[in-house]
Short mmCIF file of all heavy atoms in Angstrom, two decimals:
data_model
loop_
_atom_site.label_atom_id
_atom_site.label_comp_id
_atom_site.label_asym_id
_atom_site.label_seq_id
_atom_site.Cartn_x
_atom_site.Cartn_y
_atom_site.Cartn_z
N GLU J 85 -64.36 -15.90 46.49
CA GLU J 85 -64.82 -14.89 47.50
C GLU J 85 -65.93 -15.53 48.33
O GLU J 85 -66.17 -15.04 49.55
CB GLU J 85 -65.29 -13.62 46.85
CG GLU J 85 -64.12 -12.81 46.29
CD GLU J 85 -64.59 -11.73 45.36
OE1 GLU J 85 -65.78 -11.61 45.01
OE2 GLU J 85 -63.77 -10.92 44.89
N ARG J 86 -66.74 -16.44 47.85
CA ARG J 86 -67.76 -17.13 48.55
C ARG J 86 -67.37 -18.19 49.59
O ARG J 86 -68.18 -18.53 50.39
CB ARG J 86 -68.80 -17.67 47.58
CG ARG J 86 -69.49 -16.60 46.73
CD ARG J 86 -70.40 -17.25 45.77
NE ARG J 86 -71.19 -16.33 44.99
CZ ARG J 86 -71.82 -16.50 43.93
NH1 ARG J 86 -71.76 -17.79 43.42
NH2 ARG J 86 -72.43 -15.54 43.18
N LEU J 87 -66.20 -18.68 49.42
CA LEU J 87 -65.78 -19.79 50.23
C LEU J 87 -65.65 -19.30 51.67
O LEU J 87 -65.13 -18.29 51.97
CB LEU J 87 -64.41 -20.29 49.73
CG LEU J 87 -64.36 -21.17 48.40
CD1 LEU J 87 -63.02 -21.35 47.93
CD2 LEU J 87 -65.19 -22.42 48.62
N ARG J 88 -65.99 -20.26 52.67
CA ARG J 88 -65.98 -19.96 54.02
C ARG J 88 -64.80 -20.70 54.76
O ARG J 88 -64.18 -20.24 55.66
CB ARG J 88 -67.16 -20.33 54.69
CG ARG J 88 -68.48 -19.47 54.27
CD ARG J 88 -69.56 -19.73 55.12
NE ARG J 88 -70.78 -19.42 54.31
CZ ARG J 88 -71.90 -20.19 54.12
NH1 ARG J 88 -71.87 -21.39 54.69
NH2 ARG J 88 -72.83 -19.77 53.38
N TYR J 89 -64.49 -22.02 54.29
CA TYR J 89 -63.59 -22.84 55.01
C TYR J 89 -62.32 -22.92 54.25
O TYR J 89 -61.24 -22.96 54.93
CB TYR J 89 -64.12 -24.23 55.17
CG TYR J 89 -65.46 -24.26 56.04
CD1 TYR J 89 -66.55 -24.76 55.62
CD2 TYR J 89 -65.36 -23.73 57.29
CE1 TYR J 89 -67.74 -24.80 56.39
CE2 TYR J 89 -66.53 -23.73 58.12
CZ TYR J 89 -67.65 -24.18 57.59
OH TYR J 89 -68.83 -24.22 58.36
N ALA J 90 -62.36 -23.06 52.99
CA ALA J 90 -61.14 -23.23 52.17
C ALA J 90 -60.46 -21.71 52.12
O ALA J 90 -61.17 -20.79 51.85
CB ALA J 90 -61.39 -23.70 50.79
N HIS J 91 -59.22 -21.65 52.40
CA HIS J 91 -58.51 -20.41 52.43
C HIS J 91 -57.81 -20.06 51.10
O HIS J 91 -57.04 -20.99 50.69
CB HIS J 91 -57.71 -20.22 53.62
CG HIS J 91 -58.35 -20.23 55.04
ND1 HIS J 91 -59.15 -19.31 55.45
CD2 HIS J 91 -58.45 -21.44 55.78
CE1 HIS J 91 -59.62 -19.67 56.48
NE2 HIS J 91 -59.35 -20.91 56.77
N ARG J 92 -57.74 -18.92 50.69
CA ARG J 92 -56.91 -18.60 49.48
C ARG J 92 -55.53 -18.43 49.82
O ARG J 92 -55.23 -17.60 50.83
CB ARG J 92 -57.51 -17.22 48.88
CG ARG J 92 -58.75 -17.51 48.10
CD ARG J 92 -59.34 -16.29 47.50
NE ARG J 92 -60.07 -15.70 48.69
CZ ARG J 92 -60.67 -14.47 48.65
NH1 ARG J 92 -60.58 -13.70 47.65
NH2 ARG J 92 -61.33 -13.90 49.69
N ALA J 93 -54.71 -19.24 49.14
CA ALA J 93 -53.23 -19.19 49.45
C ALA J 93 -52.41 -19.70 48.31
O ALA J 93 -52.93 -20.51 47.55
CB ALA J 93 -52.96 -19.93 50.81
N ALA J 94 -51.14 -19.31 48.28
CA ALA J 94 -50.30 -19.89 47.29
C ALA J 94 -49.57 -21.17 47.63
O ALA J 94 -48.86 -21.73 46.89
CB ALA J 94 -49.32 -18.82 46.78
N SER J 95 -49.73 -21.57 48.79
CA SER J 95 -49.06 -22.75 49.36
C SER J 95 -49.78 -24.04 48.96
O SER J 95 -50.99 -24.02 48.57
CB SER J 95 -49.24 -22.68 50.94
OG SER J 95 -48.56 -23.80 51.57
N LEU J 96 -49.08 -25.11 49.04
CA LEU J 96 -49.53 -26.38 48.52
C LEU J 96 -50.07 -27.23 49.73
O LEU J 96 -50.51 -28.39 49.39
CB LEU J 96 -48.44 -27.21 47.81
CG LEU J 96 -48.02 -26.61 46.48
CD1 LEU J 96 -46.84 -27.46 45.98
CD2 LEU J 96 -49.18 -26.65 45.47
N GLY J 97 -50.05 -26.83 50.83
CA GLY J 97 -50.55 -27.80 51.86
C GLY J 97 -50.54 -27.19 53.29
O GLY J 97 -49.68 -26.45 53.71
N SER J 98 -51.53 -27.75 54.02
CA SER J 98 -51.69 -27.35 55.47
C SER J 98 -52.66 -28.45 56.09
O SER J 98 -53.17 -29.19 55.29
CB SER J 98 -52.21 -25.96 55.48
OG SER J 98 -52.50 -25.72 56.83
N VAL J 99 -53.05 -28.25 57.31
CA VAL J 99 -54.10 -29.06 57.75
C VAL J 99 -55.40 -28.61 57.36
O VAL J 99 -56.46 -29.23 57.34
CB VAL J 99 -54.12 -29.36 59.24
CG1 VAL J 99 -52.82 -30.11 59.72
CG2 VAL J 99 -54.19 -28.03 60.07
N GLY J 100 -55.49 -27.35 56.89
CA GLY J 100 -56.60 -26.67 56.37
C GLY J 100 -56.59 -26.72 54.89
O GLY J 100 -55.46 -26.53 54.34
N THR J 101 -57.77 -26.70 54.23
CA THR J 101 -57.77 -26.68 52.78
C THR J 101 -57.30 -25.25 52.24
O THR J 101 -57.82 -24.21 52.69
CB THR J 101 -59.24 -27.08 52.24
OG1 THR J 101 -59.50 -28.31 52.70
CG2 THR J 101 -59.23 -26.85 50.75
N LEU J 102 -56.48 -25.30 51.27
CA LEU J 102 -55.93 -24.15 50.75
C LEU J 102 -56.21 -24.14 49.20
O LEU J 102 -56.19 -25.16 48.53
CB LEU J 102 -54.34 -23.98 50.86
CG LEU J 102 -53.89 -24.01 52.33
CD1 LEU J 102 -52.33 -24.01 52.29
CD2 LEU J 102 -54.45 -22.87 53.08
N ILE J 103 -56.65 -23.01 48.68
CA ILE J 103 -57.09 -22.96 47.29
C ILE J 103 -56.60 -21.65 46.58
O ILE J 103 -56.46 -20.63 47.27
CB ILE J 103 -58.63 -23.02 47.29
CG1 ILE J 103 -59.20 -23.37 45.92
CG2 ILE J 103 -59.28 -21.84 47.89
CD1 ILE J 103 -60.70 -23.82 45.87
N GLY J 104 -56.39 -21.92 45.34
CA GLY J 104 -55.81 -20.70 44.60
C GLY J 104 -55.72 -20.96 43.03
O GLY J 104 -55.34 -22.14 42.75
N PRO J 105 -56.05 -20.10 42.22
CA PRO J 105 -55.92 -20.22 40.81
C PRO J 105 -54.48 -19.94 40.47
O PRO J 105 -53.91 -18.99 40.89
CB PRO J 105 -56.89 -19.21 40.19
CG PRO J 105 -56.96 -18.18 41.22
CD PRO J 105 -56.81 -18.81 42.57
N PRO J 106 -53.86 -20.79 39.53
CA PRO J 106 -52.49 -20.61 39.18
C PRO J 106 -52.31 -19.21 38.59
O PRO J 106 -51.10 -18.67 38.58
CB PRO J 106 -52.16 -21.65 38.04
CG PRO J 106 -53.17 -22.77 38.45
CD PRO J 106 -54.40 -22.03 39.09
N ALA J 107 -53.33 -18.57 37.96
CA ALA J 107 -53.14 -17.25 37.24
C ALA J 107 -52.70 -16.15 38.29
O ALA J 107 -52.14 -15.21 37.86
CB ALA J 107 -54.45 -16.90 36.71
N VAL J 108 -53.00 -16.42 39.57
CA VAL J 108 -52.54 -15.40 40.55
C VAL J 108 -51.70 -15.92 41.70
O VAL J 108 -51.42 -15.30 42.68
CB VAL J 108 -53.69 -14.67 41.23
CG1 VAL J 108 -54.46 -13.93 40.14
CG2 VAL J 108 -54.73 -15.68 41.86
N THR J 109 -51.25 -17.26 41.50
CA THR J 109 -50.41 -17.90 42.53
C THR J 109 -49.13 -18.43 41.77
O THR J 109 -48.18 -17.77 41.60
CB THR J 109 -51.14 -19.02 43.39
OG1 THR J 109 -51.60 -20.01 42.43
CG2 THR J 109 -52.21 -18.43 44.14
N SER J 110 -49.18 -19.65 41.43
CA SER J 110 -47.98 -20.41 40.98
C SER J 110 -47.47 -20.01 39.62
O SER J 110 -46.31 -19.97 39.38
CB SER J 110 -48.27 -21.97 40.90
OG SER J 110 -49.36 -22.23 40.10
N HIS J 111 -48.42 -19.43 38.83
CA HIS J 111 -47.99 -19.03 37.50
C HIS J 111 -48.29 -17.52 37.11
O HIS J 111 -48.54 -17.25 36.08
CB HIS J 111 -48.66 -19.91 36.43
CG HIS J 111 -48.20 -21.30 36.45
ND1 HIS J 111 -48.57 -22.26 37.41
CD2 HIS J 111 -47.32 -22.14 35.76
CE1 HIS J 111 -48.01 -23.48 37.26
NE2 HIS J 111 -47.18 -23.38 36.29
N VAL J 112 -48.37 -16.82 38.28
CA VAL J 112 -48.66 -15.37 38.05
C VAL J 112 -47.69 -14.55 37.26
O VAL J 112 -48.09 -13.56 36.60
CB VAL J 112 -48.83 -14.72 39.53
CG1 VAL J 112 -47.43 -14.66 40.14
CG2 VAL J 112 -49.49 -13.34 39.47
N GLU J 113 -46.34 -14.98 37.13
CA GLU J 113 -45.37 -14.28 36.38
C GLU J 113 -45.58 -14.54 34.89
O GLU J 113 -44.91 -13.84 34.13
CB GLU J 113 -44.02 -14.57 36.94
CG GLU J 113 -43.79 -14.15 38.34
CD GLU J 113 -42.38 -14.42 38.81
OE1 GLU J 113 -41.50 -14.69 38.09
OE2 GLU J 113 -42.30 -14.19 40.05
N LEU J 114 -46.35 -15.49 34.45
CA LEU J 114 -46.63 -15.70 33.00
C LEU J 114 -47.81 -14.89 32.52
O LEU J 114 -48.65 -14.74 33.26
CB LEU J 114 -47.01 -17.21 32.87
CG LEU J 114 -45.75 -18.22 33.26
CD1 LEU J 114 -46.31 -19.64 32.92
CD2 LEU J 114 -44.53 -18.00 32.42
N THR J 115 -47.71 -14.64 31.28
CA THR J 115 -48.87 -14.03 30.65
C THR J 115 -50.08 -15.00 30.55
O THR J 115 -49.75 -16.34 30.49
CB THR J 115 -48.61 -13.39 29.31
OG1 THR J 115 -48.27 -14.44 28.50
CG2 THR J 115 -47.46 -12.37 29.44
N ALA J 116 -51.30 -14.52 30.31
CA ALA J 116 -52.33 -15.33 30.03
C ALA J 116 -52.06 -16.28 28.83
O ALA J 116 -52.44 -17.47 28.78
CB ALA J 116 -53.58 -14.69 29.87
N ARG J 117 -51.42 -15.79 27.82
CA ARG J 117 -51.10 -16.46 26.60
C ARG J 117 -50.16 -17.55 26.91
O ARG J 117 -50.27 -18.68 26.40
CB ARG J 117 -50.59 -15.53 25.61
CG ARG J 117 -50.33 -16.24 24.30
CD ARG J 117 -49.75 -15.20 23.22
NE ARG J 117 -49.44 -16.03 22.03
CZ ARG J 117 -49.23 -15.37 20.72
NH1 ARG J 117 -49.43 -14.16 20.72
NH2 ARG J 117 -48.85 -16.10 19.80
N ALA J 118 -49.19 -17.28 27.75
CA ALA J 118 -48.10 -18.21 28.07
C ALA J 118 -48.73 -19.38 28.83
O ALA J 118 -48.46 -20.53 28.64
CB ALA J 118 -46.94 -17.56 28.84
N ARG J 119 -49.66 -19.13 29.85
CA ARG J 119 -50.29 -20.14 30.52
C ARG J 119 -51.15 -21.02 29.56
O ARG J 119 -51.22 -22.16 29.74
CB ARG J 119 -51.24 -19.47 31.60
CG ARG J 119 -50.42 -18.97 32.82
CD ARG J 119 -51.31 -18.55 33.92
NE ARG J 119 -52.14 -17.37 33.70
CZ ARG J 119 -51.74 -16.04 33.92
NH1 ARG J 119 -50.63 -15.85 34.41
NH2 ARG J 119 -52.71 -15.21 33.65
N ALA J 120 -51.84 -20.27 28.65
CA ALA J 120 -52.62 -21.04 27.75
C ALA J 120 -51.85 -22.03 26.95
O ALA J 120 -52.17 -23.17 26.53
CB ALA J 120 -53.43 -20.17 26.79
N GLU J 121 -50.61 -21.54 26.52
CA GLU J 121 -49.70 -22.47 25.75
C GLU J 121 -49.27 -23.65 26.54
O GLU J 121 -48.96 -24.64 25.97
CB GLU J 121 -48.47 -21.58 25.10
CG GLU J 121 -48.89 -20.59 24.02
CD GLU J 121 -47.75 -19.69 23.72
OE1 GLU J 121 -46.71 -19.79 24.29
OE2 GLU J 121 -47.91 -18.80 22.87
N LEU J 122 -49.23 -23.47 27.74
CA LEU J 122 -48.79 -24.62 28.69
C LEU J 122 -50.05 -25.48 29.17
O LEU J 122 -49.86 -26.48 29.85
CB LEU J 122 -48.19 -23.98 29.98
CG LEU J 122 -46.71 -23.41 29.82
CD1 LEU J 122 -46.34 -22.68 31.09
CD2 LEU J 122 -45.73 -24.45 29.42
N GLY J 123 -51.21 -25.06 28.52
CA GLY J 123 -52.38 -25.87 28.94
C GLY J 123 -52.95 -25.53 30.26
O GLY J 123 -53.69 -26.31 30.82
N ILE J 124 -52.71 -24.40 30.72
CA ILE J 124 -53.24 -23.85 32.08
C ILE J 124 -54.32 -22.86 31.78
O ILE J 124 -54.04 -21.69 31.54
CB ILE J 124 -52.17 -23.30 32.95
CG1 ILE J 124 -50.99 -24.20 33.18
CG2 ILE J 124 -52.71 -22.69 34.25
CD1 ILE J 124 -49.79 -23.63 33.74
#
Side-chain angles (χ1 to χ4, degrees):
E85 289 167 357
R86 292 178 180 163
L87 289 171
R88 295 184 203 135
Y89 299 123
H91 298 284
R92 286 175 277 174
S95 178
L96 290 177
S98 173
V99 294
T101 296
L102 303 176
I103 192 165
V108 296
T109 58
S110 60
H111 293 79
V112 69
E113 293 183 12
L114 299 178
T115 64
R117 182 177 177 165
R119 286 190 295 272
E121 288 172 1
L122 291 171
I124 303 169

